[in-house]
């Protein structure tokens, strides 16, 4: 399932973060980073998906 989220994170970073954590602070931060630059949004999304902490909903 993480592979699918990472693919979504590369194509549309906020979607990958949303699938991992929902509508939390990381989602809104990722939208801001994606607006400021596509690459920072991807890096943040992949970091959120790849970290070891369980998702907080």
């Amino acid at each position: 399932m993480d592979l699918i989220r990472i693919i979504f994170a590369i194509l549309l970073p906020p979607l990958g973060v949303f699938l991992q954590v929902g509508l939390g602070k990381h989602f809104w931060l990722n939208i801001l980073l994606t607006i400021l630059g596509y690459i920072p949004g991807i890096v943040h999304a992949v970091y959120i998906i790849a970290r070891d902490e369980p998702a907080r909903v």
Side-chain angles (χ1 to χ4, degrees):
M1 188 67 176
D2 281 347
L3 180 63
I4 294 170
R5 288 186 193 129
I6 290 176
I7 291 170
F8 280 134
I10 292 170
L11 298 175
L12 189 62
L15 179 59
V17 173
F18 174 75
L19 292 174
Q20 183 72 19
V21 297
L23 286 174
K25 64 180 178 180
H26 291 293
F27 173 75
W28 296 109
L29 176 61
N30 190 267
I31 286 186
L32 178 65
L33 288 171
T34 303
I35 289 171
L36 294 174
Y38 188 67
I39 300 299
I42 291 173
V43 170
H44 178 256
V46 170
Y47 168 74
I48 293 298
I49 293 168
R51 67 185 179 166
D52 290 336
E53 294 181 26
R56 297 179 191 166
V57 178

